[in-house]
Structures are given as structure tokens and as C-alpha cells.
Amino acid sequence: MSSQRVPIEPQRVDAPLTASATFLVLKVNRTPDSVKTVRSTLAGLDSLAKNVAIRDLSSRFACTVGIGSDIWDDLTGLPRPAELHNFREIKGAKHTAVSTPGDILFHIRSERRDICFEFERQLLDQLAGATTVVDETVGFRYFDVRDLLGFVDGTANPVGPAVPDSVLIAEEDTAAQGGSYIVVQKYTHALSAWKSLSTEQQEKIIGRTKWDNVELDDAESGQKSHKTLNTIEDEQGNEHDILRDNMPFGSPGSGEFGTYFIGYTRRLWVIEKMLERMFIGDPPGLHDQILDFSTPLTGTTFFAPSSSLLASLE
């Protein structure tokens, strides 16, 4: 007698980088009706997505949903993913990775800004009275996928068959299978101070050449580059990647320039190790020098369950 498993369909965490994105973080109002409304909305998200995406099938629309630690039990009633917990503040000698609240993350992506806008409008209409917006950040693609510091962003992302192994939980946590951990941080840049550096100084901090994105060796002083500090190996020497879908945001008129960091990972400890190395330093005291010009305003952790799980919530 053969047994069959319910198919697990991951969310589109590996959707391609688009020209526009909205990062929407919400707090769920703690009432039974609010939780019920949120649960119903998440269960019906595919229908809402189709309603908007049909307007332009070439827009490459995608929406990924992440659920925070504080709301997981009340919202899902399901076993907790093994590593799910609130973002832990990391305090270095000079810089701090702050921890900020958030129950639900919607990572909304499309080649068209109006498609993102319309999906968010209809989504918040459904959630009216049940949630409060904590943060809404609109990102855009900047030339050849560069950040506002002028460097190509996301070069170290896994590609092809390496993506699922880096991003999607498998047999190590059967209750969370097909899901992914998400960490978001909203950074603002002191752009004038950054531009006062020479190109060579900027390249040493990043660990790559600015024009053609070639890797550079670290300085002999022991100060590691941003690239090196974000390269994580386990005790067996195996390197672990994450999938970044970072986007610039800002307004020259208001003097705001920033990068919205969003990392998807199969292993939450990998991103946490990256942040420890950046903010505390490796060795301690030699922090990532990019932090002298980039300040995190937020820090929140979520879990993106499989789309199969989301659809079963109601």
C-alpha cells in the first residue's frame, strides 16, 4: 500500500528582481476579529494576486508573505518553525543593529509601480481595521542593480539549483518544510560623507571594484571588507549563501537615501552570523566600515511559510 503526501508548494521567494517593490510591515491588532480577518486574507492571497496580476501578465508580479514570531501561534495554530524568534538586537562598540516590531511582511514585486500600488491598495482594504502599518517602503531598481552607494548589489546570491538549497527548509524541519526565514533592515546612507571618500577607499570597504564589480583582497591590517564579513562558513568549512532582494529607496528632495535589505534563508543563523560579524566585527572591534555611512532604522525577522500552508489557514 503506497502513501501519498500533500504537495508542498513554496512561495515565490526566488521571484526575479523587478523594477519596483513595496516592503510593507504590519502589526496585527490583538482582537479575535482582527486575527480572523488576517487569517482569511492570507488564505485568499492567491485570488487577490491573480485579480491584480491579470492586468498585465508581463509585469512579473509576485508577493511573498512573512509571519512574525509574536503572532505565529495565534494566527496559525501550527507548530513553530525551529529557528523562528524575534530579531535580536546586536550591539557593537560603535554601531547597533536595532530590533523593531512587525507581525506580517508583504514583499510586493512587479516591473510596474502601478501594479504594486493596486495590489497594496486592495490588500489594505481587506485588512482595514485589523492591522496597523508599521513601515511602508517603496524600492526601485537603480541602473544595473546598484545600490545608492554606487556598487552592484546581490552579486553573491545563489543561482540555479543552489537557490532552493540556500533558501527553502527541507527535511530538517518537516513542519516548516517549503518555507524560508526572512530578515529585513531599512538602512539610510550618509551619502555626502560617502562621496567624500575616494573610489579606492570605497572599494576597500565594499571589497569589490566599483566599475566592473571584481572581488578585491582584504587589507593586510586585518580589517575585513563588507564582502568578506558577509561570507559565512560552518564548522566543516561549508559556505552558506542567502538570497538578497535588496532595493534602493529615497527622495533627493527630502535628502533621504537608503537601501532596504531583505534576506531569505533556509538557516536563520546564517544571517544572524553575518550581522554579528558586521556590527561586532571579526575580530571584535573591527566592525564593517560600511556602517560608518549606513544606519539601520529597523530590524525584523519573519517566516515565509509555503503557499500550501497559507492556503490552508482558513
Side-chain angles (χ1 to χ4, degrees):
M1 180 177 177
S2 63
S3 60
Q4 293 183 342
R5 297 179 60 188
V6 176
I8 297 174
E9 182 69 24
Q11 293 193 66
R12 294 183 60 194
V13 298
D14 61 343
L17 187 68
T18 52
S20 182
T22 300
F23 306 94
L24 183 66
V25 176
L26 306 177
K27 193 77 176 171
V28 178
N29 299 333
R30 292 305 200 267
T31 67
D33 286 346
S34 294
V35 172
K36 182 179 179 181
T37 296
V38 173
R39 187 182 299 126
S40 174
T41 300
L42 295 187
L45 206 63
D46 273 354
S47 296
L48 178 57
K50 290 174 184 177
N51 185 44
V52 175
I54 195 68
R55 317 271 183 110
D56 182 355
L57 296 177
S58 67
S59 71
R60 299 201 299 177
F61 174 83
C63 176
T64 304
V65 180
I67 301 174
S69 177
D70 286 346
I71 197 66
W72 177 269
D73 296 334
D74 289 344
L75 187 62
T76 72
L78 298 172
R80 296 174 65 84
E83 289 189 76
L84 181 60
H85 54 252
N86 288 330
F87 186 99
R88 293 169 179 161
E89 178 183 279
I90 301 172
K91 193 171 184 63
K94 189 174 180 181
H95 303 289
T96 300
V98 297
S99 175
T100 54
D103 289 328
I104 307 291
L105 167 73
F106 293 96
H107 181 194
I108 306 165
R109 290 169 273 185
S110 176
E111 291 294 334
R112 293 177 49 169
R113 169 65 189 133
D114 56 343
I115 295 289
C116 293
F117 173 92
E118 181 60 18
F119 178 83
E120 182 186 4
R121 186 189 68 80
Q122 294 191 25
L123 173 68
L124 290 179
D125 279 351
Q126 290 191 14
L127 293 172
T131 60
T132 302
V133 175
V134 175
D135 183 68
E136 177 197 43
T137 300
V138 175
F140 56 89
R141 186 168 59 215
Y142 189 56
F143 296 116
D144 49 337
V145 294
R146 293 180 183 264
D147 57 29
L148 296 185
L149 300 179
F151 286 79
V152 174
D153 197 3
T155 304
N157 275 348
V159 296
V163 175
D165 182 62
S166 300
V167 174
L168 298 179
I169 294 168
E171 65 281 349
E172 70 271 16
D173 187 0
T174 54
Q177 195 165 357
S180 182
Y181 296 100
I182 312 173
V183 174
V184 297
Q185 288 180 296
K186 183 176 181 176
Y187 287 87
T188 53
H189 305 311
L191 211 55
S192 295
W194 176 256
K195 288 183 175 181
S196 71
L197 301 180
S198 68
T199 298
E200 291 74 18
Q201 288 173 312
Q202 294 178 0
E203 290 176 339
K204 287 180 181 179
I205 292 173
I206 300 298
R208 292 183 178 275
T209 58
K210 193 169 187 178
W211 175 250
D212 50 8
N213 198 37
V214 175
E215 283 193 22
L216 298 173
D217 293 331
D218 288 337
E220 294 181 2
S221 64
Q223 174 64 58
K224 294 182 174 67
S225 68
H226 178 70
K227 176 259 301 179
T228 300
L229 289 169
N230 279 271
T231 301
I232 303 299
E233 295 181 348
D234 59 25
E235 294 178 352
Q236 288 72 45
N238 301 309
E239 187 172 327
H240 293 284
D241 294 327
I242 67 169
L243 184 66
R244 300 167 180 82
D245 210 350
N246 305 347
M247 277 203 142
F249 68 90
S251 165
S254 64
E256 181 184 55
F257 307 96
T259 297
Y260 199 97
F261 166 79
I262 178 167
Y264 290 93
T265 182
R266 176 178 179 176
R267 307 163 183 90
L268 181 59
W269 68 263
V270 174
I271 295 183
E272 293 178 332
K273 187 66 174 178
M274 288 180 179
L275 295 175
E276 287 174 6
R277 285 163 60 90
M278 285 178 61
F279 284 83
I280 296 174
D282 183 33
L286 293 180
H287 65 269
D288 191 337
Q289 290 183 317
I290 200 174
L291 297 174
D292 295 336
F293 307 90
S294 302
T295 302
L297 305 181
T298 68
T300 319
T301 298
F302 301 93
F303 180 76
S306 67
S307 60
S308 311
L309 187 150
L310 282 177
S312 71
L313 286 181
E314 190 175 53

